[in-house]
């Protein structure tokens, strides 16, 4: 879903509550990065905290803003800085 939204809009947001959901969100972005690589698109994730209301209870969530990486920003290759 992240890859599709990035192709269509060039920007995406993902919110997650809890360690497991945050882990799955990061995995989803990693998989999307692989799909988008074929199109010459690389991703940057910018995490932040946000408050969300769930059934009248305020919860803290992690929000990932997903952007296309600017060409001037060099991405690491295989875990190694370039």
């Amino acid at each position: 879903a992240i890859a599709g939204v990035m192709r269509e809009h060039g920007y995406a947001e993902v919110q997650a509550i809890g360690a497991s959901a945050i882990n799955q969100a990061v995995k989803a972005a990693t998989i999307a990065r692989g799909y988008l690589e074929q199109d010459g698109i690389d991703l940057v994730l910018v995490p932040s905290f946000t408050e969300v209301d769930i059934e009248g209870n305020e919860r803290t969530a992690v929000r990932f803003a997903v952007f296309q990486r600017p060409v001037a920003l060099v991405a690491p290759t295989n875990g190694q800085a370039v």
Side-chain angles (χ1 to χ4, degrees), residues 16-50:
I17 299 172
S20 180
I22 293 166
N23 182 48
Q24 291 299 311
V26 172
K27 286 181 184 179
T30 303
I31 291 167
R33 186 174 182 236
Y35 291 148
L36 293 168
E37 185 177 39
Q38 301 164 15
D39 298 331
I41 299 172
D42 198 4
L43 301 180
V44 174
L45 271 68
V46 179
S48 62
F49 290 109
T50 187

Side-chain angles (χ1 to χ4, degrees), residues 1-2 4 10 14 21 23-25 32 34 44 46 48 56 60-62 64 71-72 76 82:
I2 294 172
V14 179
N23 182 48
Q24 291 299 311
V44 174
V46 179
S48 62
T60 300
V62 174
F64 294 101
V71 177
V82 182

